[in-house]
Amino acid sequence: MIVPIVAAAAAAAGTLAWGAYDPTSPLFGRVLGRGSKRERVLYLTFDDGPRPSVTARILATLARERVPAAFFLVGAAVRLHPEMARRVAAAGHEIGNHTRSHRKLHRLGPSAVRAELTGGHKDIVEITGQIPRAFRAPHGYRNPFVTRVANKLRYRTIGWTYGVWDSDRPPAEEIRRRVRAKLKPGAIILLHDGDGYDPAGTTERGDRSNTAAALPGIIADARAAGYEFRSLGDLLR
Ligand SMILES: [Zn+2]
């Protein structure tokens, strides 16, 4: 009987891994990972900022193209770059909470999870004056406490439909190509304007200039394919 027990344990571990690592798995609570599949609409989201040199370029493109986006800010980066955080908010984009210090929440207990969320919330509210209602876990990693704590704090937990590994810093044309290849109705697209482990924004590894450079082409491709960009805030109401 050893084999079936091992198999059952492996299956259970697999299920728990699915809950912990899949950004939209419902196992550990409801997560919004996609908008309506019936409309040719897209939702751009940028994680891990602000990183002034990159965020400013992204804001300029979004303003020029009149495209709304959501920015899941890291509290520590907000504290270090208050002006840029205020600019993101003033531009009318959705501000989301991406925790205070980008810790991987699936290994934390409820009080540590709560501290990360309330810390990020406080940073964002104090600096930008906006009350974030969208929460995204770093890497999408969760455990049974994460969505429960987020719900108690009146947050909607947001996942994504697809990412393109832009944080590996492939060339801008490659980032653009990957986004275009996966376009689908209602997609919440994950991109990055910073590095969650480099809130000061000083390391080359955390540079997301290629993402900023890819954005005009991403918008052009999506529009050419008949898509329009909507605010993630529309899905939170
Ligand atoms: Zn992140």
Side-chain angles (χ1 to χ4, degrees), residues 29-48:
R30 246 184 97 222
V31 175
L32 179 64
R34 189 171 175 178
S36 168
K37 297 174 185 173
R38 292 191 298 274
E39 286 184 282
R40 276 178 104 72
V41 296
L42 300 167
Y43 304 87
L44 285 178
T45 66
F46 295 92
D47 283 14
D48 299 351

Side-chain angles (χ1 to χ4, degrees), residues 8 13 37 64 102 116 121 151 160-161 170 189 197 219 227 234:
K37 297 174 185 173
R64 191 177 66 238
H102 209 264
E116 275 293 313
H121 185 89
N151 289 345
W160 55 87
T161 310
I189 301 172
Y197 304 101
I219 293 168
Y227 286 92
D234 294 355

Side-chain angles (χ1 to χ4, degrees), residues 47-48 74 98 102 137-139 192 196:
D47 283 14
D48 299 351
V74 174
H98 197 42
H102 209 264
H139 309 277
H192 297 82

Side-chain angles (χ1 to χ4, degrees), residues 50 52 76-88 126-128:
V78 168
R79 292 261 171 220
L80 289 167
H81 310 292
E83 270 315 309
M84 189 51 61
R86 280 194 278 270
R87 276 183 58 188
V88 175
E126 285 182 9
I127 304 276
T128 71

